Amino acid sequence: MTFGFFLCVDAFLYVFTLLPLRVLLAVLRLLTLPCCGFRARTCPYCRRSSGSRLLQPAQVCDVLKGLIMVLCFSMMHYVDYSMMYHLIRGQSVIKLYIIYNMLEVADRLFSSFGQDILDALYWTATEPKERKRDSIGVIPHFFMAVFYVFLHAILIMVQASTLNVAFNSHNKSLLTIMMSNNFVEIKGSVFKKFEKNNLFQMSNSDIKERFTSYVLLLIVCLRNMEQFAWNPDHLWVLFPDVFMVVTSEVAVDIIKHAFITKFNDITADVYSEYRASLAFDLVSSRQKNACTDYSDSVARRMGFIPLPLAVLLIRVVMSSVKVQGALSYTCVFLCYLGLVTLKVLNSIVLLGKSCVYVKRANMEDKLFETPAPPPPSSSSTSSSKTPSRAEASCPTSPGESKMEPAPVTLCSPPPSSSCSVTTQPSPRTDLFPPQPADHSPAAPPPRTPTPTPEPEPPAPPLSKEEKEEEGEREEEEAAAATELKHRTPDRDLLEIDRFTICGNRID
């Protein structure tokens, strides 16, 4: 849970720190495009061919994210936070309790549906021309994404306003009812049947909810401190309520997971596998041939989308903090440098820990294997072009393609990795016992000595020896089959799905 929480922190800080820089670099590339010359085949300055794309796929996604952030932020200026707060404050306690529960459910639905909208936008914008499919186009997808981020940001604003009303109520009854809602969650989940993959999805959902609740508490504290003219004494007034909310979240998660693992007979070691799968997502997205950012993989895995939260937090900070004068802008710039430093430090620590967790789970071989196609005649250029799009769209395809040549490596360990189908018969003649267990076409080689005793029937000791040899071969075949049965779960343990976790991997 702690590792996943810092993954969400890293993805959230990326929107404020590195995304503006990446958008600026993409815009500079567009502005410096005329220096290349439209008629020239190759630019003498940037070494760019005239037939290549204007922007890389990752830069296109960054520009789209930046445009969505700017448009949604400008639209959020027309939403009055104070009017929404007083409108919610005028409702009854029981009505606010029902509204808060409905907002939690709507937040989950918006997150799952919004990720599909953003993925459709990114894929439509970066799809190659030769693989264009019938779709509604980039502009309709873009407006759908803007509309989604705006609605999700308003939903989170209503949720934060409801929590703010609970903090400022005199008898604290609404806050107590909201905290009791967490313990109702134990009743709804503890006494249900859970498999390991379902528990993994619930753990990711808990990580996302915990991080979202912390951001909501930050927004509530900013709004309250603004109303009291940033008086430090009022912060200590808010501290007990904030501590109660955080403690209840952590206590409910601990109790819930403890009883779920107890009632479903699941060992606590499964959480190390969950952590290893998250680490595998982070490490695999840091490779050179990965087109998706690791924040996208975290969003897919946990259902966490940082754009609406970032838009709302920027809106609250801009309305709460007044920036005037050169000294204020200097403080803002120093704050930005501090966020960049925190982002880089967090990324370095997470990457190092992820490498340790991946090595501990024996997954590092899946990172360095190239997803080359089975036929040996394919050139390196075609193999270098296809995996990038396959890994960008659905990273499970390399894993599926890697499982196809797995029997070849099991039956022929002596040759090098460069051996193809043409070099397979040579080790099979040396290793007779595992032939029938691996491949059906390999059956003719062991049958070659069987026709020799047919023209010599009067030799009974030879038939007994042959029977003994056949019995030994059958025993070795059975042993090889059992070895393969025991090996497949170990190889399946290395198969990581980015969306859900495979049952074979955990079994």
Side-chain angles (χ1 to χ4, degrees):
M1 298 284 282
T2 306
F3 182 76
F5 177 80
F6 281 103
L7 281 177
C8 292
V9 171
D10 194 64
F12 192 62
L13 289 176
Y14 169 80
V15 179
F16 298 98
T17 57
L18 299 185
L19 182 61
L21 297 178
R22 293 172 65 93
V23 172
L24 182 61
L25 291 177
V27 172
L28 287 178
R29 178 168 181 174
L30 287 176
L31 294 178
T32 56
L33 184 63
C35 73
C36 301
F38 293 99
R39 296 182 181 180
R41 293 185 178 180
T42 304
C43 176
Y45 301 102
C46 60
R47 304 298 179 182
R48 176 182 168 274
S49 61
S50 59
S52 60
R53 302 173 62 109
L54 297 179
L55 293 176
Q56 297 297 325
Q59 291 178 330
V60 173
C61 295
D62 294 333
V63 171
L64 290 175
K65 289 179 184 179
L67 290 176
I68 291 173
M69 292 280 294
V70 171
L71 289 178
C72 291
F73 176 72
S74 61
M75 293 166 63
M76 287 294 291
H77 275 289
Y78 296 97
V79 181
D80 193 355
Y81 186 90
S82 302
M83 183 186 69
M84 185 180 298
Y85 172 80
H86 289 288
L87 182 64
I88 294 174
R89 189 173 184 178
Q91 307 299 324
S92 60
V93 175
I94 188 64
K95 189 182 292 186
L96 290 179
Y97 174 71
I98 297 174
I99 291 175
Y100 193 77
N101 290 335
M102 293 174 60
L103 291 174
E104 285 187 349
V105 177
D107 183 39
R108 296 182 183 181
L109 297 179
F110 268 64
S111 298
S112 61
F113 184 63
Q115 186 60 49
D116 297 335
I117 294 176
L118 295 176
D119 285 342
L121 172 64
Y122 299 152
W123 170 249
T124 308
T126 59
E127 190 176 9
K129 295 181 180 179
E130 62 272 7
R131 297 178 58 184
K132 284 288 185 183
R133 297 177 296 179
D134 294 335
S135 60
I136 62 176
V138 179
I139 296 178
H141 276 112
F142 177 74
F143 283 110
M144 288 173 60
V146 171
F147 186 65
Y148 153 72
V149 173
F150 177 67
L151 287 183
H152 200 176
I154 291 180
L155 187 142
I156 300 174
M157 177 182 286
V158 175
Q159 200 171 359
S161 301
T162 309
L163 190 61
N164 196 4
V165 170
F167 268 68
N168 294 329
S169 60
H170 297 286
N171 51 4
K172 305 294 182 182
S173 59
L174 180 58
L175 186 61
T176 306
I177 293 175
M178 288 181 179
M179 295 307 102
S180 64
N181 188 30
N182 294 327
F183 293 93
V184 176
E185 185 181 356
I186 297 178
K187 177 185 175 182
S189 58
V190 164
F191 301 104
K192 290 182 180 179
K193 177 65 177 177
F194 275 91
E195 299 294 336
K196 292 182 179 179
N197 53 354
N198 297 331
L199 182 59
F200 182 46
Q201 295 174 1
M202 192 185 69
S203 302
N204 292 329
S205 177
D206 291 339
I207 294 171
K208 180 251 180 185
E209 288 180 1
R210 183 180 297 185
F211 181 80
T212 305
S213 64
Y214 291 167
V215 176
L216 292 178
L217 290 175
L218 177 61
I219 293 174
V220 169
C221 291
L222 287 176
R223 295 298 299 177
N224 281 275
M225 293 297 292
E226 179 199 3
Q227 296 299 324
F228 286 89
W230 299 95
N231 187 7
D233 297 334
H234 185 69
L235 185 62
W236 297 105
V237 177
L238 295 173
F239 182 76
D241 296 335
V242 174
F243 180 76
M244 184 174 65
V245 173
V246 173
T247 305
S248 63
E249 286 278 348
V250 176
V252 166
D253 288 340
I254 291 175
I255 296 173
K256 181 174 64 176
H257 284 271
F259 278 100
I260 286 175
T261 53
K262 174 181 172 59
F263 292 153
N264 294 278
D265 197 13
I266 300 175
T267 60
D269 297 334
V270 73
Y271 290 99
S272 62
E273 297 183 7
Y274 298 162
R275 183 181 59 188
S277 63
L278 294 177
F280 187 86
D281 285 339
L282 178 61
V283 175
S284 60
S285 60
R286 289 299 186 94
Q287 291 180 337
K288 293 182 179 179
N289 56 357
C291 293
T292 58
D293 189 74
Y294 53 92
S295 61
D296 296 331
S297 64
V298 171
R300 290 189 182 95
R301 178 69 79 179
M302 300 182 183
F304 172 67
I305 304 176
L307 293 183
L309 270 176
V311 169
L312 178 60
L313 188 59
I314 293 174
R315 168 72 173 82
V316 172
V317 171
M318 292 291 290
S319 62
S320 301
V321 180
K322 304 300 181 182
V323 180
Q324 295 178 354
L327 183 60
S328 299
Y329 285 105
T330 305
C331 293
V332 170
F333 180 71
L334 292 178
C335 181
Y336 174 76
L337 291 182
L339 289 177
V340 172
T341 306
L342 180 61
K343 168 69 175 64
V344 173
L345 180 62
N346 190 25
S347 300
I348 292 173
V349 175
L350 283 177
L351 187 60
K353 289 292 184 181
S354 299
C355 294
V356 172
Y357 297 147
V358 168
K359 289 182 180 179
R360 192 177 299 172
N362 299 324
M363 296 181 185
E364 63 272 11
D365 55 344
K366 304 300 291 183
L367 296 172
F368 302 106
E369 288 181 359
T370 56
S377 61
S378 61
S379 62
S380 60
T381 58
S382 62
S383 63
S384 63
K385 292 178 181 179
T386 53
S388 61
R389 291 305 307 173
E391 290 179 359
S393 60
C394 182
T396 57
S397 57
E400 294 175 358
S401 62
K402 291 170 191 172
M403 288 300 294
E404 293 177 0
V408 179
T409 57
L410 290 174
C411 67
S412 59
S416 62
S417 61
S418 62
C419 65
S420 62
V421 182
T422 57
T423 59
Q424 289 178 3
S426 57
R428 288 179 183 173
T429 56
D430 300 334
L431 302 175
F432 283 106
Q435 289 172 1
D438 291 336
H439 298 282
S440 58
R447 291 178 182 175
T448 50
T450 54
T452 53
E454 292 180 359
E456 298 177 0
L462 296 177
S463 61
K464 292 179 181 180
E465 291 177 357
E466 290 176 357
K467 292 180 179 180
E468 292 178 357
E469 291 178 358
E470 291 178 356
E472 292 178 357
R473 289 174 183 173
E474 291 177 355
E475 292 177 358
E476 292 176 354
E477 291 173 4
T482 54
E483 288 179 0
L484 289 177
K485 289 180 181 179
H486 289 294
R487 284 175 185 174
T488 48
D490 295 336
R491 295 191 65 84
D492 290 336
L493 181 64
L494 304 179
E495 292 298 325
I496 301 295
D497 189 6
R498 297 175 73 91
F499 298 93
T500 56
I501 197 160
C502 300
N504 295 331
R505 176 187 173 276
I506 299 184
D507 295 337

